[in-house]
Amino acid sequence: MSDHPETPAAPVEAFEPPYYVAVFTTVRTPDQTGYSETNARMEELVKDVPGFLGMDHAQTPGGLGITVGYFRDAEALAEWRENAEHRAAQRRGRADWYQNYTLHVAKVERSHGFTRA
């Protein structure tokens, strides 16, 4: 969810399926007051969800943002969805930070990765 230029770019590792992904695609509004602080808090908070596996984030120069959260099971994803602070951040996002967004949730049935030696 955040931009960390000092962190080398690397995708979240491939996990043994099945697991779940939440793909959150956004276009933000010009006024991002308070977004960075809330985003940092959400990154911190989701790590405490048992079954949270990690997240990837990308932002295009044109303003399209994509965040993919990985969760071991539907229960972990539901716990994150129902978290009170997360729900408050969602409301603030709709009110202030997002021009539009989509959320896609899927069960992963196949997963693999590659790393150059």
Side-chain angles (χ1 to χ4, degrees):
M1 282 188 224
S2 73
D3 303 314
H4 298 290
E6 70 281 355
T7 303
V12 170
E13 67 182 270
F15 297 99
E16 183 65 33
Y19 57 93
Y20 288 80
V21 294
V23 182
F24 185 55
T25 307
T26 65
V27 175
R28 295 190 212 167
T29 61
D31 183 4
Q32 293 295 290
T33 304
Y35 179 85
S36 293
E37 297 82 4
T38 301
N39 185 55
R41 175 63 181 150
M42 294 303 103
E43 284 188 7
E44 177 185 308
L45 196 60
V46 72
K47 291 176 184 175
D48 291 336
V49 173
F52 172 71
L53 301 173
M55 77 175 70
D56 288 320
H57 176 78
Q59 185 84 33
T60 70
L64 182 70
I66 301 172
T67 300
V68 182
Y70 302 87
F71 297 85
R72 173 51 52 206
D73 50 39
E75 292 77 18
L77 188 55
E79 183 173 331
W80 177 237
R81 183 183 65 235
E82 297 303 323
N83 178 281
E85 279 188 71
H86 183 218
R87 306 274 297 172
Q90 290 171 338
R91 287 189 295 276
R92 177 93 191 267
R94 285 189 296 274
D96 298 330
W97 299 318
Y98 298 121
Q99 184 67 37
N100 56 55
Y101 70 81
T102 59
L103 174 66
H104 305 275
V105 176
K107 184 176 183 179
V108 175
E109 296 181 4
R110 185 169 59 99
S111 180
H112 67 276
F114 166 81
T115 302
R116 185 170 308 282

